[in-house]
Amino acid sequence: MRQRRLLEYGVFGIAAISFILFVGWWRVDGPGAPEPSDRHPLDFPAMEFRLTDHAGNAVGPEVLTGRATMVFFGFTFCPDVCPTTLSDISSWLEMMGEDSDQLNVIFITVDPERDTVDAMAEYVGYFDANIRGWTGTNEQIAVAADMFRVTYEKVPTDGEDYTMNHTASVFLFKADGQFSGAIDYHETRETAVPKIRRAMTEKEEVPQ
Amino acid sequence: MRMVLYQTLAALVIIIVFSAASVAGSDKVLIEDAWSRASIGTSRPGVAYMKIRNTGDVAVTLKGISTDVALKPQIHRTSTNNQGVSSMAQVGEIEIVPGETVTLEPGGLHAMLMGLQRIMKEGESFFMTLAFSDGGEVAVEIPILSIAARGPES
Ligand SMILES: [Cu+2]
């Protein structure tokens, strides 16, 4: 009787250890392992998400094809990185002159709780007029971020306040919706503008 | 007896005054190119940037900042990891060795102004006091530029 119980414990122990080892493998080497940093957004035709722009229109990836597009994620309660990215982009657009009118520029919030349609409208109004702000429900934003392979995380500061960690790169897409490349946070105009122009000119090669 | 006491007190006062005057370090700190961005309302945190230069010959340590525009002003550092994810964290004391300049600039160190007490209006300015570990304080007037400003001159 006693031996039987010991055996039961033994079997249970081995099962538990095996399970722990399996979970470890799954997360480190197996299918559950974090993907390497060269993860990049899907092409627009392969994306599926619904959001609302700062004018209240329903939008999705389909409204972006036909022109080259620049997309980045952020939030309006962000004091440092986001206004800097927005003003960097505004300066790139300014440098490109009229050509920048042929470009979609989309700012998607990772903080939909505070970044309502009205909050987005007010915020983007301070930057280049080409910049559109997109928001949605928590679920909609989660789906969209996943399509772009963007990560974000709410981080509590003191009190009830919080800030957001988030992917800060600017993604470029060709007119046919194919991913063209990324501009890393705080890249200089000298390297950023040629990347944007490349995404735009690749468009002209497609229809011929 | 009373005389002796007064003399001792006087001597002490002189020593205190003398040592305060000879606090070396923070009196040789120069703040340059300070600027900040206008805020939208008061619910979002504000931000300010500047260069802090130690022109003296002893190291100084910045302990903290204070200003009447914000309840909780803190020095933060933004960092971006190899996955392109940006995050912010409060930094502790900052040592500035002689001849060195610590730069608060977009995407790096910044004065984060949490709990804004009033709207930061473009064209106006506000004062910030930097406190150093030698007991010295340096006040700086910070101009408020556009929300889309990219540096002290724009
Ligand atoms: Cu900060």
Side-chain angles (χ1 to χ4, degrees):
Chain A
M1 194 62 200
R2 188 151 188 190
Q3 270 181 344
R4 172 123 184 231
R5 179 159 284 177
L6 266 176
L7 188 71
E8 277 172 4
Y9 280 137
V11 168
F12 177 76
I14 289 166
I17 290 165
S18 310
F19 178 72
I20 290 163
L21 287 174
F22 173 76
V23 168
W25 165 81
W26 180 275
R27 292 172 62 173
V28 176
D29 297 313
E35 301 203 17
S37 61
D38 56 351
R39 278 168 40 116
H40 59 70
L42 300 178
D43 299 332
F44 288 147
M47 287 191 186
E48 220 173 304
F49 64 83
R50 306 306 314 161
L51 293 173
T52 306
D53 76 3
H54 71 259
N57 304 308
V59 288
E62 73 285 349
V63 307
L64 299 174
T65 45
R67 293 162 122 201
T69 299
M70 216 190 294
V71 178
F72 61 103
F73 287 74
F75 64 112
T76 78
F77 280 64
C78 160
D80 182 46
V81 169
C82 308
T84 304
T85 301
L86 277 155
S87 50
D88 279 350
I89 289 174
S90 300
S91 87
W92 302 337
L93 298 180
E94 198 181 312
M95 201 170 157
M96 294 175 61
E98 281 178 13
D99 293 350
S100 69
D101 295 340
Q102 300 305 310
L103 197 59
N104 299 311
V105 188
I106 312 296
F107 165 37
I108 302 179
T109 183
V110 293
D111 184 15
E113 281 162 45
R114 293 185 296 200
D115 288 338
T116 58
V117 169
D118 289 346
M120 292 299 274
E122 185 177 25
Y123 195 77
V124 298
Y126 287 95
F127 298 91
D128 190 284
N130 274 339
I131 302 175
R132 319 274 308 159
W134 288 9
T135 185
T137 64
N138 277 323
E139 293 72 28
Q140 288 176 320
I141 294 293
V143 169
D146 188 49
M147 301 276 158
F148 286 90
R149 305 298 186 241
V150 157
T151 62
Y152 61 99
E153 184 189 5
K154 200 179 205 175
V155 183
T157 53
D158 354 37
E160 286 147 36
D161 276 348
Y162 62 91
T163 183
M164 306 290 300
N165 294 350
H166 63 92
T167 306
S169 314
V170 177
F171 302 116
L172 294 167
F173 296 84
K174 299 182 236 174
D176 62 0
Q178 259 195 307
F179 175 67
S180 157
I183 303 172
D184 289 333
Y185 175 63
H186 229 48
E187 222 171 279
T188 63
R189 285 181 229 211
E190 288 64 34
T191 63
V193 171
K195 283 185 183 178
I196 301 169
R197 289 205 182 276
R198 201 182 318 136
M200 292 177 79
T201 49
E202 277 167 348
K203 151 200 159 187
E204 281 143 28
E205 291 157 14
V206 176
Q208 265 110 61
Chain B
M1 187 58 204
R2 182 159 261 195
M3 194 67 192
V4 174
L5 188 65
Y6 279 133
Q7 278 172 349
T8 314
L9 271 177
L12 269 175
V13 167
I14 288 165
I15 288 165
I16 290 163
V17 167
F18 181 75
S19 59
S22 71
V23 161
S26 55
D27 55 338
K28 292 280 197 284
V29 167
L30 222 64
I31 314 282
E32 297 165 310
D33 295 338
W35 63 286
S36 62
R37 291 196 185 107
S39 70
I40 305 172
T42 55
S43 55
R44 294 178 175 87
V47 73
Y49 305 101
M50 67 195 78
K51 289 187 176 126
I52 309 168
R53 190 146 67 96
N54 181 1
T55 66
D57 45 21
V58 291
V60 295
T61 302
L62 177 63
K63 269 176 39 188
I65 52 174
S66 56
T67 171
D68 66 340
V69 294
L71 277 183
K72 255 186 300 169
Q74 295 177 346
I75 303 280
H76 280 196
R77 187 192 304 278
T78 297
S79 44
T80 305
N81 70 12
N82 59 2
Q83 313 263 327
V85 177
S86 282
S87 56
M88 266 190 318
Q90 188 179 1
V91 296
E93 303 189 336
I94 301 174
E95 195 196 42
I96 313 171
V97 299
E100 199 77 9
T101 301
V102 165
T103 304
L104 276 58
E105 61 187 344
L109 288 170
H110 55 275
M112 174 110 155
L113 310 175
M114 291 179 293
L116 281 188
Q117 297 300 96
R118 55 176 188 270
I119 297 175
M120 294 171 68
K121 283 205 191 94
E122 183 174 352
E124 296 186 352
S125 66
F126 64 98
F127 281 92
M128 181 179 286
T129 303
L130 288 76
F132 292 87
S133 57
D134 62 3
E137 291 187 335
V138 179
V140 55
E141 185 175 5
I142 305 179
I144 302 170
L145 310 182
S146 139
I147 189 172
R150 308 172 70 238
E153 63 293 306
S154 61

